[in-house]
Amino acid sequence: MDGNSSSGRAPVSRRSFVKGLGAAGAVLPAFTMLPRTSLAVDDQAYASAAIDWKQFAGQAITLAGAIHPWSSAITPLLPDFTKLTGINVVTDFAPETTYLSAIPIRLARGSSTPDVCMFATYGQGISGGWLEPLNAYYSKKSLTDLVWYDERDLLKTARTFSLWPDGERYGFTITSEAMTLFLNSEMLAAKDLPAPQTFDELLATARAVKTDAISGIAMRAQAGGNSTPAAMAFVFSYGGAMIKDNRAAFASPEAIAAVDMYGRLLREAGPIGVGSYEWYQVLDDFLQGRTAMAIDSSNFATDISNPAKSHVAKQAGFAAFPHLPGREPVPFMSHWQGVHQFQIKEQAGRFPVPAMGNEQADLVADRSCGTGNDTAVGLVERGFQ
């Protein structure tokens, strides 16, 4: 199935998807979100850049990352990059929890690989001296055509996230993810229930649709830092904060109330064994129709919309994050960074920037998320540049 569903509805763009979720009570159907499938390189588009794409032909780089919608989306495009630049890309992807534990160790030890990697703990990488400053590459005309690249196509949060307070950039935003409410519309309709808008409505709905075979809601609960995004969205939406006056603020009344609601949802309406749930389990439960609702990354939109992967593509919908009465929701938003090591192969550090223009970048964004990135700009500051 292509981007046009058999119902005749036009596919939803990322921009209209974001706007739609901002409307109170809006539920967008999943099967209008199918990604485009064409991966062809537009030679004319790249020819317009004032860059010699072949200046490092014959070189190779290693790209490491998590098994994630972005890595799944970028992999089919790597042959296009090699065709354009003559640079071969070797991939090294691992499950996200494993990868997040291993990559700081590899970088701290000064391993010769990876050259380029997905990175999440930005401050740690900068303070540890693991990440190479990138401003020099942006300012070097033989490597970067800033007019052609047109960074304005990135969401503002994505553009600014990688800038350190001193103006240097050590990373390159490759994803923008926001916590999103996913609904199985058929399951809610069977109980004559609308999409919940407040946290109390979310709890009541989850309880009402839960059965012995189907959970009311699935969210991450495995002990570990990678399970915090959804819970932090609750904290922020309750008016709490992660840090206040340079101290952890999880003991605030707002944070306590938020975490209590998170726990109640999973205790009273969550799946059996939820204490072991990471995002993989949350997504799988929703795809298989084992849960009526889920809260997790907007990146899930593409897999949920794909009938080849999802048993619920036709009945799934996406809704805005819940809120307290009288307050706006504040869904946790995160940006994976593409970075390269401070100690790298000399030729890799001079790779032209950026080989991924708006057309190819839009393909990655469509295939990997469907929301946050208006341009998921490619493979980072060296290699896909």
Side-chain angles (χ1 to χ4, degrees):
M1 182 180 291
D2 61 17
N4 293 308
S5 73
S6 58
S7 68
R9 283 189 253 191
V12 179
S13 71
R14 292 183 306 284
R15 290 177 175 86
S16 60
F17 182 70
V18 173
K19 290 178 180 178
L21 288 183
V27 178
L28 300 184
F31 63 92
T32 63
M33 288 296 300
L34 290 175
R36 293 173 289 165
T37 56
S38 173
L39 302 179
V41 172
D42 184 346
D43 293 334
Q44 189 59 41
Y46 290 99
S48 66
I51 294 174
D52 175 8
W53 297 114
K54 297 289 189 182
Q55 60 185 293
F56 298 109
Q59 304 295 339
I61 58 172
T62 298
L63 166 68
I67 296 174
H68 177 279
W70 182 84
S71 52
S72 297
I74 201 70
T75 299
L77 302 181
L78 296 179
D80 287 349
F81 171 72
T82 298
K83 176 184 176 183
L84 177 70
T85 66
I87 300 166
N88 188 50
V89 182
V90 178
T91 58
D92 180 10
F93 297 138
E96 189 166 313
T97 302
T98 302
Y99 177 75
L100 288 171
S101 299
I103 194 62
I105 297 172
R106 293 175 69 179
L107 296 180
R109 287 177 175 173
S111 172
S112 59
T113 59
D115 301 301
V116 185
C117 61
M118 294 173 66
F119 202 70
T121 52
Y122 199 44
Q124 180 188 30
I126 295 170
S127 62
W130 307 337
L131 311 182
E132 184 172 15
L134 303 179
N135 281 358
Y137 296 107
Y138 275 75
S139 61
K140 193 168 184 178
K141 292 184 178 180
S142 64
L143 301 179
T144 311
D145 183 345
L146 292 175
V147 174
W148 177 86
Y149 172 42
D150 189 13
E151 195 174 36
R152 296 170 301 174
D153 191 52
L154 282 167
L155 292 176
K156 183 178 179 181
T157 56
R159 292 198 306 270
T160 58
F161 187 89
S162 58
L163 291 175
W164 209 235
D166 62 2
E168 183 61 78
R169 70 178 80 206
Y170 297 83
F172 189 83
T173 298
I174 56 175
T175 75
S176 297
E177 308 175 33
M179 290 295 108
T180 302
L181 174 61
F182 304 96
L183 308 169
N184 186 312
S185 298
E186 283 189 1
M187 292 182 182
L188 269 63
K191 295 284 187 177
D192 198 26
L193 293 168
Q197 296 185 43
T198 68
F199 288 108
D200 285 339
E201 290 173 358
L202 182 68
L203 178 59
T205 302
R207 284 170 171 165
V209 296
K210 179 178 170 59
T211 68
D212 290 341
I214 303 294
S215 67
I217 190 166
M219 299 185 291
R220 307 184 202 189
Q222 185 183 90
N226 205 36
S227 289
T228 60
M232 289 310 305
F234 277 62
V235 171
F236 297 155
S237 295
Y238 268 74
M242 189 181 300
I243 302 292
K244 186 174 182 179
D245 299 327
N246 294 320
R247 297 175 66 89
F250 296 115
S252 70
E254 295 85 1
I256 291 171
V259 174
D260 179 65
M261 174 58 79
Y262 194 88
R264 287 183 67 192
L265 281 160
L266 294 179
R267 285 195 310 273
E268 299 177 22
I272 295 173
V274 72
S276 65
Y277 270 45
E278 241 275 27
W279 70 259
Y280 298 103
Q281 290 78 22
V282 175
L283 176 59
D284 190 58
D285 273 12
F286 196 84
L287 293 178
Q288 301 302 322
R290 293 193 295 261
T291 188
M293 299 185 293
I295 288 179
D296 213 289
S297 169
S298 53
N299 278 354
F300 288 7
T302 300
D303 280 354
I304 290 171
S305 304
N306 186 350
K309 296 182 178 181
S310 173
H311 291 289
V312 299
K314 290 186 178 180
Q315 62 261 39
F318 312 131
F321 194 81
H323 61 89
L324 288 178
R327 294 188 65 98
E328 292 292 321
V330 186
F332 183 93
M333 192 168 187
S334 60
H335 303 283
W336 275 97
Q337 298 294 296
V339 301
H340 46 97
Q341 292 197 63
F342 190 80
Q343 296 178 346
I344 60 172
K345 305 172 193 172
E346 182 180 1
Q347 71 275 15
R350 293 198 300 263
F351 284 158
V353 216
M356 194 168 203
N358 292 349
E359 182 177 350
Q360 289 287 76
D362 280 347
L363 283 170
V364 177
D366 282 347
R367 292 168 65 93
S368 65
C369 52
T371 59
N373 288 55
D374 275 6
T375 304
V377 219
L379 201 64
V380 298
E381 260 321 86
R382 78 173 186 223
F384 235 87
Q385 300 186 325

